[in-house]
Amino acid sequence: MKSDQPPAVAGGARPEAAPARTNDTPSGRRPGSGLLQEPPGPTVVLRPGAAYGLSAALGAVTLLAASASFFLPGVLQGPAVTRGTVRGTALVMMVLAVPLLFAAMSVASRNSARALVVWLGVVAYIVYQAVLFLFGTPFNALFPVYVAMLSLALWSAAALMWQIDLAGFDARFDERLPARGLAAYACVMAALNALVWLRTIVPAILSDSPPAFLDGSGMTTNPVFVQDLAVWLPLLMVASWWLVRARPLGRLIVGALLVMLVIEGIGVAADQWFGAVADPGTPFASMSAVPLFAALVVIGMVPLLVYLRHLDADRGKASGSLRHA
């Protein structure tokens, strides 16, 4: 005779009466949802794309351009001070910028947001220097290499900006990022640079004589003035405003430009030293500028380290807690 009740299980208990199996802790309480499970990993901040390939090619071409410019000074044309400053910049690109680029790419492959900022900052630095190599140096046999360096740097920057997940990147910051302080520093640096350049440009515009600041330089205009006033300083100001407004793009660009400013300070110190050695009487390079820019590098490292300290901070704590679990 069939029963309407389900059959008993071993031990006489029916299924609905069998106690649920639990993984009790030594205290007798059930574990929380995350106690026995690893927390979810950080979001991926770089989508797939061409950035790695373009930047790898950029590193190779930059190394070629810098090495040839430094070790083959006979290739360079123009006044002695120009050849000297180019060699100083080439040295920094060769021993600092290119190794830092490849190191940042390697660490970024492990999903580091900090490395992405450094990567983008180094690419921006190479863009800046490629323009100077092309327009601040008389035409020479390395012209095609310089063009390739500028092209790859621009495309690398574009690919990186396209592939970075801004929402995922923004989530990597902690809540203590001193946005106003970092923005104030960036704005002060932009304003001071603009004032220094305008102090030379405005009198030249108001004068009926040819601009004296170009005498002996071999240039028809100053590509530093053009770049800074048309691109980099306005970008730094706008990105600083976005940073204060808590926009992810502002956080990314300000961080990259802080990296760029530090490397550029090292580069200027080097090119001033090489330029002054090549032509001790020139007004375009001075040994006294070397310690000045070295000091600016030290000062610039402070906001950069503060910025990086608040990026990926939670990720470091989470990985540390897992290692010690």
PDB file of all heavy atoms in Angstrom, residues 84-122:
ATOM      1  N   GLY A  84      74.492  69.844 -28.469  1.00  0.00           N
ATOM      2  CA  GLY A  84      74.703  69.421 -27.089  1.00  0.00           C
ATOM      3  C   GLY A  84      73.400  69.141 -26.364  1.00  0.00           C
ATOM      4  O   GLY A  84      73.263  68.117 -25.677  1.00  0.00           O
ATOM      5  N   THR A  85      72.424  70.031 -26.512  1.00  0.00           N
ATOM      6  CA  THR A  85      71.157  69.829 -25.807  1.00  0.00           C
ATOM      7  C   THR A  85      70.419  68.602 -26.339  1.00  0.00           C
ATOM      8  O   THR A  85      69.776  67.869 -25.574  1.00  0.00           O
ATOM      9  CB  THR A  85      70.255  71.068 -25.933  1.00  0.00           C
ATOM     10  OG1 THR A  85      70.086  71.399 -27.319  1.00  0.00           O
ATOM     11  CG2 THR A  85      70.873  72.259 -25.210  1.00  0.00           C
ATOM     12  N   VAL A  86      70.514  68.350 -27.645  1.00  0.00           N
ATOM     13  CA  VAL A  86      69.886  67.155 -28.204  1.00  0.00           C
ATOM     14  C   VAL A  86      70.529  65.897 -27.627  1.00  0.00           C
ATOM     15  O   VAL A  86      69.839  64.924 -27.292  1.00  0.00           O
ATOM     16  CB  VAL A  86      69.978  67.161 -29.745  1.00  0.00           C
ATOM     17  CG1 VAL A  86      69.572  65.803 -30.320  1.00  0.00           C
ATOM     18  CG2 VAL A  86      69.098  68.257 -30.326  1.00  0.00           C
ATOM     19  N   ARG A  87      71.841  65.901 -27.480  1.00  0.00           N
ATOM     20  CA  ARG A  87      72.516  64.733 -26.919  1.00  0.00           C
ATOM     21  C   ARG A  87      72.118  64.521 -25.455  1.00  0.00           C
ATOM     22  O   ARG A  87      71.952  63.389 -25.004  1.00  0.00           O
ATOM     23  CB  ARG A  87      74.034  64.882 -27.034  1.00  0.00           C
ATOM     24  CG  ARG A  87      74.548  64.859 -28.462  1.00  0.00           C
ATOM     25  CD  ARG A  87      76.065  64.834 -28.501  1.00  0.00           C
ATOM     26  NE  ARG A  87      76.567  63.562 -28.025  1.00  0.00           N
ATOM     27  CZ  ARG A  87      77.557  63.420 -27.125  1.00  0.00           C
ATOM     28  NH1 ARG A  87      78.100  64.509 -26.569  1.00  0.00           N
ATOM     29  NH2 ARG A  87      77.969  62.226 -26.759  1.00  0.00           N
ATOM     30  N   GLY A  88      71.952  65.613 -24.707  1.00  0.00           N
ATOM     31  CA  GLY A  88      71.518  65.471 -23.317  1.00  0.00           C
ATOM     32  C   GLY A  88      70.128  64.875 -23.222  1.00  0.00           C
ATOM     33  O   GLY A  88      69.862  63.979 -22.401  1.00  0.00           O
ATOM     34  N   THR A  89      69.214  65.361 -24.069  1.00  0.00           N
ATOM     35  CA  THR A  89      67.859  64.803 -24.091  1.00  0.00           C
ATOM     36  C   THR A  89      67.878  63.350 -24.537  1.00  0.00           C
ATOM     37  O   THR A  89      67.166  62.506 -23.982  1.00  0.00           O
ATOM     38  CB  THR A  89      66.969  65.626 -25.038  1.00  0.00           C
ATOM     39  OG1 THR A  89      66.923  66.978 -24.580  1.00  0.00           O
ATOM     40  CG2 THR A  89      65.564  65.060 -25.099  1.00  0.00           C
ATOM     41  N   ALA A  90      68.690  63.047 -25.542  1.00  0.00           N
ATOM     42  CA  ALA A  90      68.772  61.671 -26.039  1.00  0.00           C
ATOM     43  C   ALA A  90      69.250  60.718 -24.950  1.00  0.00           C
ATOM     44  O   ALA A  90      68.772  59.577 -24.855  1.00  0.00           O
ATOM     45  CB  ALA A  90      69.714  61.616 -27.245  1.00  0.00           C
ATOM     46  N   LEU A  91      70.183  61.171 -24.117  1.00  0.00           N
ATOM     47  CA  LEU A  91      70.681  60.322 -23.039  1.00  0.00           C
ATOM     48  C   LEU A  91      69.562  59.970 -22.062  1.00  0.00           C
ATOM     49  O   LEU A  91      69.426  58.806 -21.649  1.00  0.00           O
ATOM     50  CB  LEU A  91      71.825  61.032 -22.311  1.00  0.00           C
ATOM     51  CG  LEU A  91      72.430  60.273 -21.119  1.00  0.00           C
ATOM     52  CD1 LEU A  91      73.067  58.970 -21.578  1.00  0.00           C
ATOM     53  CD2 LEU A  91      73.441  61.153 -20.383  1.00  0.00           C
ATOM     54  N   VAL A  92      68.757  60.964 -21.695  1.00  0.00           N
ATOM     55  CA  VAL A  92      67.655  60.705 -20.758  1.00  0.00           C
ATOM     56  C   VAL A  92      66.620  59.780 -21.386  1.00  0.00           C
ATOM     57  O   VAL A  92      66.082  58.881 -20.728  1.00  0.00           O
ATOM     58  CB  VAL A  92      67.014  62.039 -20.316  1.00  0.00           C
ATOM     59  CG1 VAL A  92      65.761  61.790 -19.485  1.00  0.00           C
ATOM     60  CG2 VAL A  92      68.016  62.858 -19.518  1.00  0.00           C
ATOM     61  N   MET A  93      66.339  59.969 -22.651  1.00  0.00           N
ATOM     62  CA  MET A  93      65.395  59.081 -23.329  1.00  0.00           C
ATOM     63  C   MET A  93      65.919  57.645 -23.365  1.00  0.00           C
ATOM     64  O   MET A  93      65.160  56.679 -23.187  1.00  0.00           O
ATOM     65  CB  MET A  93      65.125  59.589 -24.745  1.00  0.00           C
ATOM     66  CG  MET A  93      64.450  60.943 -24.793  1.00  0.00           C
ATOM     67  SD  MET A  93      64.257  61.585 -26.471  1.00  0.00           S
ATOM     68  CE  MET A  93      62.944  60.539 -27.076  1.00  0.00           C
ATOM     69  N   MET A  94      67.223  57.525 -23.572  1.00  0.00           N
ATOM     70  CA  MET A  94      67.838  56.205 -23.729  1.00  0.00           C
ATOM     71  C   MET A  94      67.921  55.449 -22.407  1.00  0.00           C
ATOM     72  O   MET A  94      67.615  54.258 -22.337  1.00  0.00           O
ATOM     73  CB  MET A  94      69.230  56.393 -24.347  1.00  0.00           C
ATOM     74  CG  MET A  94      69.979  55.110 -24.668  1.00  0.00           C
ATOM     75  SD  MET A  94      71.467  55.457 -25.645  1.00  0.00           S
ATOM     76  CE  MET A  94      72.240  56.786 -24.708  1.00  0.00           C
ATOM     77  N   VAL A  95      68.319  56.124 -21.332  1.00  0.00           N
ATOM     78  CA  VAL A  95      68.579  55.418 -20.065  1.00  0.00           C
ATOM     79  C   VAL A  95      67.420  55.504 -19.082  1.00  0.00           C
ATOM     80  O   VAL A  95      67.386  54.749 -18.111  1.00  0.00           O
ATOM     81  CB  VAL A  95      69.857  55.958 -19.388  1.00  0.00           C
ATOM     82  CG1 VAL A  95      71.052  55.841 -20.315  1.00  0.00           C
ATOM     83  CG2 VAL A  95      69.685  57.402 -18.921  1.00  0.00           C
ATOM     84  N   LEU A  96      66.454  56.395 -19.328  1.00  0.00           N
ATOM     85  CA  LEU A  96      65.335  56.534 -18.387  1.00  0.00           C
ATOM     86  C   LEU A  96      63.986  56.293 -19.052  1.00  0.00           C
ATOM     87  O   LEU A  96      63.215  55.422 -18.617  1.00  0.00           O
ATOM     88  CB  LEU A  96      65.356  57.920 -17.744  1.00  0.00           C
ATOM     89  CG  LEU A  96      64.193  58.225 -16.780  1.00  0.00           C
ATOM     90  CD1 LEU A  96      64.184  57.239 -15.613  1.00  0.00           C
ATOM     91  CD2 LEU A  96      64.271  59.657 -16.273  1.00  0.00           C
ATOM     92  N   ALA A  97      63.672  57.059 -20.091  1.00  0.00           N
ATOM     93  CA  ALA A  97      62.326  57.004 -20.660  1.00  0.00           C
ATOM     94  C   ALA A  97      62.006  55.636 -21.259  1.00  0.00           C
ATOM     95  O   ALA A  97      60.944  55.060 -20.976  1.00  0.00           O
ATOM     96  CB  ALA A  97      62.162  58.098 -21.718  1.00  0.00           C
ATOM     97  N   VAL A  98      62.900  55.096 -22.084  1.00  0.00           N
ATOM     98  CA  VAL A  98      62.613  53.810 -22.735  1.00  0.00           C
ATOM     99  C   VAL A  98      62.551  52.669 -21.717  1.00  0.00           C
ATOM    100  O   VAL A  98      61.591  51.875 -21.742  1.00  0.00           O
ATOM    101  CB  VAL A  98      63.644  53.520 -23.848  1.00  0.00           C
ATOM    102  CG1 VAL A  98      63.473  52.098 -24.380  1.00  0.00           C
ATOM    103  CG2 VAL A  98      63.493  54.528 -24.986  1.00  0.00           C
ATOM    104  N   PRO A  99      63.523  52.524 -20.797  1.00  0.00           N
ATOM    105  CA  PRO A  99      63.372  51.466 -19.784  1.00  0.00           C
ATOM    106  C   PRO A  99      62.112  51.632 -18.936  1.00  0.00           C
ATOM    107  O   PRO A  99      61.456  50.644 -18.599  1.00  0.00           O
ATOM    108  CB  PRO A  99      64.639  51.607 -18.933  1.00  0.00           C
ATOM    109  CG  PRO A  99      65.639  52.250 -19.830  1.00  0.00           C
ATOM    110  CD  PRO A  99      64.842  53.183 -20.688  1.00  0.00           C
ATOM    111  N   LEU A 100      61.768  52.872 -18.591  1.00  0.00           N
ATOM    112  CA  LEU A 100      60.557  53.104 -17.794  1.00  0.00           C
ATOM    113  C   LEU A 100      59.308  52.744 -18.589  1.00  0.00           C
ATOM    114  O   LEU A 100      58.337  52.214 -18.027  1.00  0.00           O
ATOM    115  CB  LEU A 100      60.513  54.569 -17.360  1.00  0.00           C
ATOM    116  CG  LEU A 100      59.469  54.951 -16.299  1.00  0.00           C
ATOM    117  CD1 LEU A 100      59.638  54.119 -15.041  1.00  0.00           C
ATOM    118  CD2 LEU A 100      59.561  56.433 -15.983  1.00  0.00           C
ATOM    119  N   LEU A 101      59.325  52.999 -19.887  1.00  0.00           N
ATOM    120  CA  LEU A 101      58.193  52.635 -20.737  1.00  0.00           C
ATOM    121  C   LEU A 101      57.967  51.129 -20.724  1.00  0.00           C
ATOM    122  O   LEU A 101      56.845  50.652 -20.500  1.00  0.00           O
ATOM    123  CB  LEU A 101      58.439  53.126 -22.171  1.00  0.00           C
ATOM    124  CG  LEU A 101      57.414  52.689 -23.219  1.00  0.00           C
ATOM    125  CD1 LEU A 101      56.044  53.283 -22.917  1.00  0.00           C
ATOM    126  CD2 LEU A 101      57.883  53.084 -24.619  1.00  0.00           C
ATOM    127  N   PHE A 102      59.025  50.360 -20.950  1.00  0.00           N
ATOM    128  CA  PHE A 102      58.875  48.902 -20.991  1.00  0.00           C
ATOM    129  C   PHE A 102      58.525  48.340 -19.609  1.00  0.00           C
ATOM    130  O   PHE A 102      57.742  47.389 -19.501  1.00  0.00           O
ATOM    131  CB  PHE A 102      60.151  48.253 -21.530  1.00  0.00           C
ATOM    132  CG  PHE A 102      60.308  48.376 -23.023  1.00  0.00           C
ATOM    133  CD1 PHE A 102      61.394  49.031 -23.580  1.00  0.00           C
ATOM    134  CD2 PHE A 102      59.344  47.847 -23.870  1.00  0.00           C
ATOM    135  CE1 PHE A 102      61.540  49.138 -24.951  1.00  0.00           C
ATOM    136  CE2 PHE A 102      59.474  47.953 -25.247  1.00  0.00           C
ATOM    137  CZ  PHE A 102      60.567  48.605 -25.796  1.00  0.00           C
ATOM    138  N   ALA A 103      59.087  48.921 -18.562  1.00  0.00           N
ATOM    139  CA  ALA A 103      58.746  48.465 -17.208  1.00  0.00           C
ATOM    140  C   ALA A 103      57.277  48.735 -16.899  1.00  0.00           C
ATOM    141  O   ALA A 103      56.585  47.883 -16.338  1.00  0.00           O
ATOM    142  CB  ALA A 103      59.647  49.157 -16.182  1.00  0.00           C
ATOM    143  N   ALA A 104      56.789  49.915 -17.271  1.00  0.00           N
ATOM    144  CA  ALA A 104      55.388  50.249 -17.023  1.00  0.00           C
ATOM    145  C   ALA A 104      54.461  49.336 -17.810  1.00  0.00           C
ATOM    146  O   ALA A 104      53.424  48.887 -17.300  1.00  0.00           O
ATOM    147  CB  ALA A 104      55.127  51.712 -17.394  1.00  0.00           C
ATOM    148  N   MET A 105      54.815  49.023 -19.050  1.00  0.00           N
ATOM    149  CA  MET A 105      54.007  48.110 -19.845  1.00  0.00           C
ATOM    150  C   MET A 105      53.949  46.732 -19.199  1.00  0.00           C
ATOM    151  O   MET A 105      52.889  46.090 -19.159  1.00  0.00           O
ATOM    152  CB  MET A 105      54.577  48.008 -21.258  1.00  0.00           C
ATOM    153  CG  MET A 105      54.413  49.262 -22.088  1.00  0.00           C
ATOM    154  SD  MET A 105      55.407  49.213 -23.618  1.00  0.00           S
ATOM    155  CE  MET A 105      54.747  47.746 -24.397  1.00  0.00           C
ATOM    156  N   SER A 106      55.081  46.277 -18.693  1.00  0.00           N
ATOM    157  CA  SER A 106      55.125  44.958 -18.065  1.00  0.00           C
ATOM    158  C   SER A 106      54.250  44.903 -16.821  1.00  0.00           C
ATOM    159  O   SER A 106      53.464  43.961 -16.625  1.00  0.00           O
ATOM    160  CB  SER A 106      56.574  44.606 -17.710  1.00  0.00           C
ATOM    161  OG  SER A 106      56.647  43.379 -17.011  1.00  0.00           O
ATOM    162  N   VAL A 107      54.359  45.909 -15.960  1.00  0.00           N
ATOM    163  CA  VAL A 107      53.560  45.922 -14.731  1.00  0.00           C
ATOM    164  C   VAL A 107      52.087  46.143 -15.051  1.00  0.00           C
ATOM    165  O   VAL A 107      51.202  45.567 -14.407  1.00  0.00           O
ATOM    166  CB  VAL A 107      54.088  46.996 -13.770  1.00  0.00           C
ATOM    167  CG1 VAL A 107      53.249  47.049 -12.499  1.00  0.00           C
ATOM    168  CG2 VAL A 107      55.544  46.722 -13.402  1.00  0.00           C
ATOM    169  N   ALA A 108      51.798  46.949 -16.077  1.00  0.00           N
ATOM    170  CA  ALA A 108      50.404  47.187 -16.463  1.00  0.00           C
ATOM    171  C   ALA A 108      49.732  45.905 -16.935  1.00  0.00           C
ATOM    172  O   ALA A 108      48.510  45.755 -16.800  1.00  0.00           O
ATOM    173  CB  ALA A 108      50.332  48.254 -17.550  1.00  0.00           C
ATOM    174  N   SER A 109      50.510  44.974 -17.478  1.00  0.00           N
ATOM    175  CA  SER A 109      49.928  43.703 -17.910  1.00  0.00           C
ATOM    176  C   SER A 109      49.404  42.893 -16.739  1.00  0.00           C
ATOM    177  O   SER A 109      48.623  41.957 -16.931  1.00  0.00           O
ATOM    178  CB  SER A 109      50.977  42.882 -18.677  1.00  0.00           C
ATOM    179  OG  SER A 109      52.022  42.445 -17.809  1.00  0.00           O
ATOM    180  N   ARG A 110      49.818  43.253 -15.519  1.00  0.00           N
ATOM    181  CA  ARG A 110      49.301  42.601 -14.309  1.00  0.00           C
ATOM    182  C   ARG A 110      48.172  43.430 -13.686  1.00  0.00           C
ATOM    183  O   ARG A 110      47.905  43.322 -12.493  1.00  0.00           O
ATOM    184  CB  ARG A 110      50.438  42.377 -13.310  1.00  0.00           C
ATOM    185  CG  ARG A 110      51.532  41.460 -13.871  1.00  0.00           C
ATOM    186  CD  ARG A 110      52.476  40.973 -12.784  1.00  0.00           C
ATOM    187  NE  ARG A 110      53.388  41.999 -12.337  1.00  0.00           N
ATOM    188  CZ  ARG A 110      54.555  42.269 -12.921  1.00  0.00           C
ATOM    189  NH1 ARG A 110      54.917  41.601 -14.011  1.00  0.00           N
ATOM    190  NH2 ARG A 110      55.352  43.197 -12.446  1.00  0.00           N
ATOM    191  N   ASN A 111      47.558  44.268 -14.503  1.00  0.00           N
ATOM    192  CA  ASN A 111      46.365  45.027 -14.116  1.00  0.00           C
ATOM    193  C   ASN A 111      46.657  46.101 -13.068  1.00  0.00           C
ATOM    194  O   ASN A 111      45.871  46.338 -12.158  1.00  0.00           O
ATOM    195  CB  ASN A 111      45.266  44.082 -13.597  1.00  0.00           C
ATOM    196  CG  ASN A 111      43.885  44.710 -13.658  1.00  0.00           C
ATOM    197  OD1 ASN A 111      43.639  45.596 -14.469  1.00  0.00           O
ATOM    198  ND2 ASN A 111      42.996  44.263 -12.801  1.00  0.00           N
ATOM    199  N   SER A 112      47.807  46.770 -13.216  1.00  0.00           N
ATOM    200  CA  SER A 112      48.166  47.856 -12.309  1.00  0.00           C
ATOM    201  C   SER A 112      47.740  49.195 -12.897  1.00  0.00           C
ATOM    202  O   SER A 112      48.174  49.574 -13.993  1.00  0.00           O
ATOM    203  CB  SER A 112      49.682  47.854 -12.063  1.00  0.00           C
ATOM    204  OG  SER A 112      50.087  49.043 -11.419  1.00  0.00           O
ATOM    205  N   ALA A 113      46.905  49.917 -12.177  1.00  0.00           N
ATOM    206  CA  ALA A 113      46.485  51.249 -12.619  1.00  0.00           C
ATOM    207  C   ALA A 113      47.638  52.245 -12.507  1.00  0.00           C
ATOM    208  O   ALA A 113      47.757  53.165 -13.319  1.00  0.00           O
ATOM    209  CB  ALA A 113      45.289  51.726 -11.799  1.00  0.00           C
ATOM    210  N   ARG A 114      48.474  52.077 -11.500  1.00  0.00           N
ATOM    211  CA  ARG A 114      49.634  52.968 -11.356  1.00  0.00           C
ATOM    212  C   ARG A 114      50.545  52.868 -12.580  1.00  0.00           C
ATOM    213  O   ARG A 114      51.029  53.878 -13.108  1.00  0.00           O
ATOM    214  CB  ARG A 114      50.424  52.594 -10.105  1.00  0.00           C
ATOM    215  CG  ARG A 114      49.743  52.932  -8.791  1.00  0.00           C
ATOM    216  CD  ARG A 114      50.539  52.395  -7.621  1.00  0.00           C
ATOM    217  NE  ARG A 114      49.937  52.750  -6.335  1.00  0.00           N
ATOM    218  CZ  ARG A 114      50.350  52.259  -5.176  1.00  0.00           C
ATOM    219  NH1 ARG A 114      51.347  51.394  -5.133  1.00  0.00           N
ATOM    220  NH2 ARG A 114      49.756  52.637  -4.047  1.00  0.00           N
ATOM    221  N   ALA A 115      50.784  51.643 -13.031  1.00  0.00           N
ATOM    222  CA  ALA A 115      51.657  51.453 -14.194  1.00  0.00           C
ATOM    223  C   ALA A 115      51.061  52.082 -15.436  1.00  0.00           C
ATOM    224  O   ALA A 115      51.787  52.614 -16.291  1.00  0.00           O
ATOM    225  CB  ALA A 115      51.906  49.965 -14.408  1.00  0.00           C
ATOM    226  N   LEU A 116      49.733  52.052 -15.566  1.00  0.00           N
ATOM    227  CA  LEU A 116      49.093  52.685 -16.717  1.00  0.00           C
ATOM    228  C   LEU A 116      49.358  54.191 -16.739  1.00  0.00           C
ATOM    229  O   LEU A 116      49.603  54.775 -17.787  1.00  0.00           O
ATOM    230  CB  LEU A 116      47.588  52.428 -16.675  1.00  0.00           C
ATOM    231  CG  LEU A 116      47.076  51.135 -17.297  1.00  0.00           C
ATOM    232  CD1 LEU A 116      45.563  51.053 -17.154  1.00  0.00           C
ATOM    233  CD2 LEU A 116      47.478  51.022 -18.748  1.00  0.00           C
ATOM    234  N   VAL A 117      49.296  54.816 -15.562  1.00  0.00           N
ATOM    235  CA  VAL A 117      49.554  56.260 -15.480  1.00  0.00           C
ATOM    236  C   VAL A 117      50.995  56.560 -15.893  1.00  0.00           C
ATOM    237  O   VAL A 117      51.257  57.507 -16.658  1.00  0.00           O
ATOM    238  CB  VAL A 117      49.272  56.764 -14.054  1.00  0.00           C
ATOM    239  CG1 VAL A 117      49.727  58.204 -13.890  1.00  0.00           C
ATOM    240  CG2 VAL A 117      47.793  56.654 -13.726  1.00  0.00           C
ATOM    241  N   VAL A 118      51.939  55.769 -15.390  1.00  0.00           N
ATOM    242  CA  VAL A 118      53.339  55.970 -15.761  1.00  0.00           C
ATOM    243  C   VAL A 118      53.536  55.737 -17.255  1.00  0.00           C
ATOM    244  O   VAL A 118      54.241  56.497 -17.938  1.00  0.00           O
ATOM    245  CB  VAL A 118      54.240  55.032 -14.932  1.00  0.00           C
ATOM    246  CG1 VAL A 118      55.696  55.144 -15.388  1.00  0.00           C
ATOM    247  CG2 VAL A 118      54.132  55.371 -13.443  1.00  0.00           C
ATOM    248  N   TRP A 119      52.928  54.697 -17.774  1.00  0.00           N
ATOM    249  CA  TRP A 119      53.005  54.386 -19.204  1.00  0.00           C
ATOM    250  C   TRP A 119      52.549  55.578 -20.034  1.00  0.00           C
ATOM    251  O   TRP A 119      53.262  56.034 -20.944  1.00  0.00           O
ATOM    252  CB  TRP A 119      52.153  53.155 -19.458  1.00  0.00           C
ATOM    253  CG  TRP A 119      52.104  52.628 -20.864  1.00  0.00           C
ATOM    254  CD1 TRP A 119      52.657  53.176 -21.983  1.00  0.00           C
ATOM    255  CD2 TRP A 119      51.427  51.433 -21.295  1.00  0.00           C
ATOM    256  NE1 TRP A 119      52.369  52.405 -23.086  1.00  0.00           N
ATOM    257  CE2 TRP A 119      51.633  51.331 -22.699  1.00  0.00           C
ATOM    258  CE3 TRP A 119      50.682  50.463 -20.631  1.00  0.00           C
ATOM    259  CZ2 TRP A 119      51.095  50.276 -23.436  1.00  0.00           C
ATOM    260  CZ3 TRP A 119      50.157  49.414 -21.375  1.00  0.00           C
ATOM    261  CH2 TRP A 119      50.368  49.321 -22.756  1.00  0.00           C
ATOM    262  N   LEU A 120      51.379  56.114 -19.722  1.00  0.00           N
ATOM    263  CA  LEU A 120      50.852  57.244 -20.476  1.00  0.00           C
ATOM    264  C   LEU A 120      51.730  58.481 -20.307  1.00  0.00           C
ATOM    265  O   LEU A 120      51.944  59.242 -21.258  1.00  0.00           O
ATOM    266  CB  LEU A 120      49.421  57.538 -20.022  1.00  0.00           C
ATOM    267  CG  LEU A 120      48.660  58.622 -20.793  1.00  0.00           C
ATOM    268  CD1 LEU A 120      48.551  58.271 -22.267  1.00  0.00           C
ATOM    269  CD2 LEU A 120      47.269  58.823 -20.197  1.00  0.00           C
ATOM    270  N   GLY A 121      52.279  58.688 -19.108  1.00  0.00           N
ATOM    271  CA  GLY A 121      53.158  59.825 -18.877  1.00  0.00           C
ATOM    272  C   GLY A 121      54.439  59.750 -19.677  1.00  0.00           C
ATOM    273  O   GLY A 121      54.918  60.753 -20.226  1.00  0.00           O
ATOM    274  N   VAL A 122      55.026  58.549 -19.788  1.00  0.00           N
ATOM    275  CA  VAL A 122      56.245  58.382 -20.580  1.00  0.00           C
ATOM    276  C   VAL A 122      55.951  58.617 -22.057  1.00  0.00           C
ATOM    277  O   VAL A 122      56.734  59.260 -22.767  1.00  0.00           O
ATOM    278  CB  VAL A 122      56.847  56.985 -20.356  1.00  0.00           C
ATOM    279  CG1 VAL A 122      58.055  56.771 -21.269  1.00  0.00           C
ATOM    280  CG2 VAL A 122      57.263  56.803 -18.904  1.00  0.00           C
TER     281      VAL A 122
END
